[in-house]
């Protein structure tokens, strides 16, 4: 052993993985390295090597020869209290579905025992999914949201979790009693959870413009500015919703402007992710680009709720940062692999049926959005390039047998389309190996 | 025991199932019976009862209390030699994809050992899927097709399998040497497999008009008439294909007419299933109705290959018989549950983006198409009504936990959206219990 080895910062989070490694370099290019070594030092990637470099010889080796090693997936939009009824009530449109399915179920999370039971199921599923990072909506309930944070913390997944704010246009049983109460609850939630978790951080979560008064938005902005918290919400999901926002905010030139007026729409110190963006106007695209707002593209939800198909290529070409969201329970599947293939499939339909100026998304682009694209909301996440936080999942694709020989890239495409959870045999988040996967 | 019991035709294929039973009565109505008994006598359904009728007391009981019992699913369109590359090469349109992916792979099935290995994987997957019946394309190879039939026979699934005919517009390595040779091979295949199988029957399979000369179609028609065989092919999948057929058959008023001129398009004694039908014209719909031609709707394939969205409601309303197809490998998933949800999802997009005169498909309709709708191609199949052949699958939906109480219909919808093969704990085809599921 030479001097270099001694200088290694060897911790529990330093090790080597061996296997068939794939990651997105950019949205057009996937790097593939067969039978290589991937180095994790102190929770960060140190790169990929054909042989173990001398410097890393002393690190423990986790041998996944013959398996795929890819970055952990990123879910930029998921509603935890809707997990319980995913795949049900799917024959409705957004606003009906909210009133019939989503709101009555979310109301139950005011009850401690129900929240614990149902969020426990959600957390268990997140743990066993290929998702390493997520932006999660809870409900309006402070205690319920805390329970969700505690349960998720134990899984090892890294997530932003938001107590939802809504003080208008919601059924009485799920409407906060005025902006003052909503803000007070939000401050209490933030106070009570401050520095309590390692993996779980708070995110401000006005549900969407129709359910938040200007006073509430103003109060949230003040909290945002004081505590420099990120923001998540919904934007232009459905045509009826877009018209409704126009009625509710005649002073706003656009739906995006309704958030931006309250300084809850990206910009310096206010990382923001907006779900859907099916119907953004030109000025909104411009504003999102300018303010660095992320889009959580949720193709399955946009199908299930008959919303439409977001023009994702337009956003990518405009330089907007786009990731993928399962949008449970608008989306039925929690799998971000599924979101990748849904994104490709609906982009093909949009090209065929609506607008052949926007070419369909390619596998490389969908994989990028589900890893590095969405990962950027969490920092240097979603890739194995040097310095990236070390999120990885291991897929044993031999369990879905094939008769021919395949390239590594073909094996990756195949897993994106076919993997169903049974192939994942290992998961690492920020360099920590998750047990019991 | 009374006299009635003695008259029971008790065979291995007579038994009772107990559980939570669902089946389609018609395309609008799903019958649900919680904790009931379903009687199978000599391979046929004798109905559903809250208590075991005296008459059936002596039959063995298979107890699936707490589980869903639904009819076996029906896949009206699947290409066995494409199974090996499902989920790959998905960034192409139909005609490119055929030349780049499908044809080179299909050519391999001329080799005995490859066919055995690759078809073995397909048969294994069919066995463990929820599919009880299927219409299967093989390749042009007589021996390969026989291997496929042998392997499928062992699974217990009931299927029509077709040796593919193609004598033009195919790469040399996959083009039969003239109509004469194609017909000769087809006759040889039929002769060699005649009465050899219990579950597997032959079906005439001209690939599609672009790859079959008039002479070949005429020869196939003669075989059809002699042997009263059913027919499967493709119709109006893709716009380029539709234009191509217009060029190839200037004498035909429509694509459907190109089949019908050769009497290979339904009618008395010629049961026919046509895959896709994305772009059927009015006269074609009329003709399909008149001749009782089945449509195999393949929504996932139509997305993957950027084909479009078939106007399924229009066909249903016209009284055409519609089932679902996985269309492996245009479709990536072999699951007919997935085909059901895909059918619903794309119908919503079609409604939103193209034509709001056709309401989206409902869960009831998708379930109907994937069971009784497609099942009708096999006779009285796909339901538990009295007299229906007894195909059933058992789903233990408790393995996908939920915190609330649900109706049986909600549990069914949930399984349609969420089941991934891990929930199926039993499968019966024509009254035979399939082992090792």
């Amino acid at each position: 052993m030479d001097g270099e080895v001694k200088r290694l910062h060897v911790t529990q989070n330093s090790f080597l993985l061996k296997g068939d490694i794939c990651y997105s370099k950019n949205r057009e290019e996937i790097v593939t390295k067969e039978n290589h070594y991937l180095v994790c030092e102190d929770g960060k990637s140190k790169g990929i090597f054909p042989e173990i470099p001398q410097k890393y010889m002393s690190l423990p080796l986790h041998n996944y020869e013959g398996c795929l090693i890819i970055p952990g997936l990123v879910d930029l939009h998921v509603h935890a209290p809707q997990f319980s009824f995913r795949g049900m009530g799917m024959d409705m449109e957004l606003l009906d579905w909210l009133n019939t399915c989503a709101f009555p179920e979310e109301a139950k999370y005011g009850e401690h025992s129900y929240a614990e039971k149902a969020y426990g199921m959600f957390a268990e599923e997140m743990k066993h999914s290929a998702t390493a990072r997520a932006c999660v909506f809870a409900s309006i309930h402070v205690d319920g949201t805390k329970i969700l944070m505690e349960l998720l913390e134990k899984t090892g997944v890294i997530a932003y979790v938001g107590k939802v704010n809504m003080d208008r246009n919601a059924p009485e049983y799920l409407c906060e009693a005025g902006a003052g109460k909503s803000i007070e609850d939000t401050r209490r939630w933030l106070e009570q959870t401050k520095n309590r978790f390692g993996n779980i951080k708070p995110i401000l979560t006005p549900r969407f413009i129709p359910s938040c008064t200007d006073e509430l938005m103003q109060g949230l902005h003040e909290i945002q500015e004081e505590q420099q918290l990120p923001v998540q919400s919904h934007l232009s999901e459905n045509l009826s919703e877009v018209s409704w926002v126009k009625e509710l905010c005649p002073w706003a030139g656009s739906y995006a402007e309704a958030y931006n007026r309250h300084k809850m729409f990206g910009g310096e110190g206010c990382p923001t992710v907006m779900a859907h963006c099916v119907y953004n106007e030109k000025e909104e695209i411009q504003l999102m680009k300018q303010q660095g707002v992320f889009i959580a593209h949720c193709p399955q939800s946009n199908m299930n709720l008959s919303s439409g198909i977001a023009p994702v290529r337009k956003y990518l070409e405009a330089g907007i940062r786009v990731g993928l969201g399962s949008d449970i329970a608008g989306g039925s599947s929690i799998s971000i692999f599924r979101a990748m293939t849904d994104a490709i499939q609906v982009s093909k339909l949009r090209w065929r049926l609506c607008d052949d100026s926007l070419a369909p998304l390619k596998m490389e682009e969908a994989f990028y959005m589900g890893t590095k694209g969405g990962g950027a909301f969490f920092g240097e996440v979603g890739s194995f390039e040097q310095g990236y936080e070390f999120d990885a999942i291991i897929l044993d694709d031999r369990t879905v047998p094939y008769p021919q020989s395949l390239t590594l890239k073909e094996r990756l495409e195949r897993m994106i389309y076919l993997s169903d959870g049974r192939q994942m045999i290992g998961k690492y988040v920020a360099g920590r190996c998750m047990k019991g996967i």
Side-chain angles (χ1 to χ4, degrees), chain A:
Chain A
M1 299 220 284
D2 64 14
E4 278 197 328
V5 174
K6 285 178 194 150
R7 285 200 304 277
L8 256 188
H9 186 180
V10 179
T11 68
Q12 214 187 337
N13 296 344
S14 299
F15 50 83
L16 306 163
L17 302 188
K18 184 179 188 186
D20 301 328
I21 303 164
C22 307
Y23 67 90
S24 286
K25 191 168 170 186
N26 52 50
R27 72 177 165 94
E28 269 138 30
E29 197 180 341
I30 294 174
V31 177
T32 60
K33 301 280 182 189
E34 228 156 333
N35 213 22
H36 271 58
Y37 296 89
L38 173 58
V39 179
C40 175
E41 193 188 356
D42 204 19
K44 298 209 167 159
S45 174
K46 291 289 165 181
I48 295 167
F49 307 90
E51 304 290 339
I52 306 176
Q54 192 60 32
K55 185 178 172 188
Y56 300 119
M57 279 290 188
S58 62
L59 293 182
L61 173 67
H62 304 189
N63 195 339
Y64 295 113
E65 259 183 83
C67 296
L68 290 176
I69 303 176
I70 66 171
L73 308 189
V74 179
D75 188 344
L76 280 189
H77 188 65
V78 52
H79 292 264
Q82 296 180 9
F83 180 71
S84 54
F85 68 93
R86 71 201 187 285
M88 290 187 284
M90 295 273 66
D91 291 343
M92 280 172 256
E93 261 192 272
L94 175 65
L95 301 179
D96 281 346
W97 176 83
L98 283 172
N99 287 309
T100 312
C101 297
F103 291 158
E105 178 67 19
E106 285 191 24
K108 297 182 190 168
Y109 292 77
E111 201 195 300
H112 187 99
S113 64
Y114 191 82
E116 204 153 58
K117 182 177 170 189
Y119 280 149
M121 291 173 183
F122 171 74
E124 190 64 13
E125 183 86 6
M126 285 296 277
K127 180 176 169 182
H128 291 281
S129 77
T131 299
R133 314 249 171 174
C135 291
V136 185
F137 277 56
S139 65
I140 58 169
H141 311 96
V142 172
D143 289 346
T145 306
K146 281 158 54 185
I147 291 168
L148 174 61
M149 294 171 92
E150 282 158 17
L151 289 166
L152 278 178
E153 172 78 4
K154 286 181 203 153
T155 64
V157 165
I158 291 180
Y160 288 115
V161 172
K163 177 207 128 23
V164 171
N165 298 95
M166 45 202 297
D167 71 339
R168 69 171 173 185
N169 293 319
E172 204 178 332
Y173 59 79
L174 199 67
C175 197
E176 295 179 289
K181 170 71 172 144
S182 179
I183 292 298
E184 186 190 310
D185 277 4
T186 304
R187 288 190 179 278
R188 181 159 59 89
W189 160 62
L190 290 168
E191 188 56 38
Q192 291 178 356
T193 55
K194 199 171 181 177
N195 301 327
R196 258 188 68 191
F197 304 110
N199 302 326
I200 309 302
K201 306 280 176 213
I203 183 167
L204 292 174
T205 307
R207 189 179 200 111
F208 66 157
I209 290 291
S211 56
C212 300
T213 60
D214 290 353
E215 192 188 343
L216 174 52
M217 290 301 286
Q218 189 52 35
L220 289 174
H221 160 60
E222 285 160 20
I223 298 176
Q224 196 285 318
E225 213 169 41
E226 278 166 39
Q227 307 193 24
Q228 296 286 298
L229 294 171
V231 173
Q232 62 181 351
S233 194
H234 298 90
L235 182 66
S236 302
E237 175 174 2
N238 170 294
L239 289 170
S240 318
E241 173 213 10
V242 171
S243 317
W244 195 14
V245 171
K246 281 207 170 100
E247 277 171 40
L248 289 166
C249 307
W251 46 265
S254 69
Y255 196 160
E257 173 62 19
Y259 290 108
N260 194 47
R261 187 73 68 93
H262 297 291
K263 302 206 175 72
M264 298 281 281
F265 200 69
E268 187 67 24
C270 182
T272 297
V273 56
M274 288 284 158
H276 304 303
C277 301
V278 179
Y279 297 102
N280 281 6
E281 290 161 31
K282 208 171 159 186
E283 313 81 71
E284 293 179 293
I285 297 173
Q286 183 56 34
L287 189 61
M288 295 187 92
K289 160 75 179 156
Q290 189 184 307
Q291 311 267 81
V293 173
F294 279 74
I295 291 174
H297 175 44
C298 305
Q300 188 174 122
S301 170
N302 298 155
M303 285 195 275
N304 281 337
L305 299 174
S306 301
S307 301
I309 305 174
V312 174
R313 177 163 307 287
K314 194 195 285 183
Y315 301 146
L316 291 172
E317 283 175 359
I320 295 177
R321 297 190 285 188
V322 186
L324 297 173
S326 65
D327 193 25
I328 294 287
S332 318
S333 169
I334 206 161
S335 163
I336 294 299
F337 286 126
R338 175 69 187 265
M340 292 179 194
T341 60
D342 286 334
I344 295 170
Q345 289 168 344
V346 301
S347 77
K348 289 172 176 173
L349 291 178
R350 196 177 191 286
W351 170 81
R352 167 64 70 203
L353 302 172
C354 305
D355 178 5
D356 65 7
S357 75
L358 297 179
L361 297 175
K362 295 196 171 295
M363 186 266 268
E364 290 83 349
E365 295 168 308
F367 184 65
Y368 174 84
M369 291 193 293
T371 54
K372 199 175 181 182
F377 194 72
F378 294 82
E380 291 202 307
V381 165
S383 169
F384 294 138
E385 286 156 288
Q386 272 225 7
Y388 270 67
E389 295 189 45
F390 195 93
D391 297 356
I393 57 166
I394 319 296
L395 299 171
D396 189 352
D397 61 327
R398 294 167 298 195
T399 61
V400 184
Y402 50 94
Q404 73 279 55
S405 65
L406 298 176
T407 66
L408 181 45
K409 195 166 164 192
E410 285 171 325
R411 287 168 55 202
L412 173 64
E413 184 178 8
R414 195 167 168 273
M415 280 295 97
I416 291 173
Y417 277 89
L418 304 183
S419 71
D420 62 8
R422 278 175 279 195
Q423 293 74 46
M424 199 179 77
I425 57 165
K427 183 171 177 179
Y428 298 79
V429 181
R432 290 183 304 274
C433 179
M434 286 172 64
K435 302 297 176 196
I437 294 301

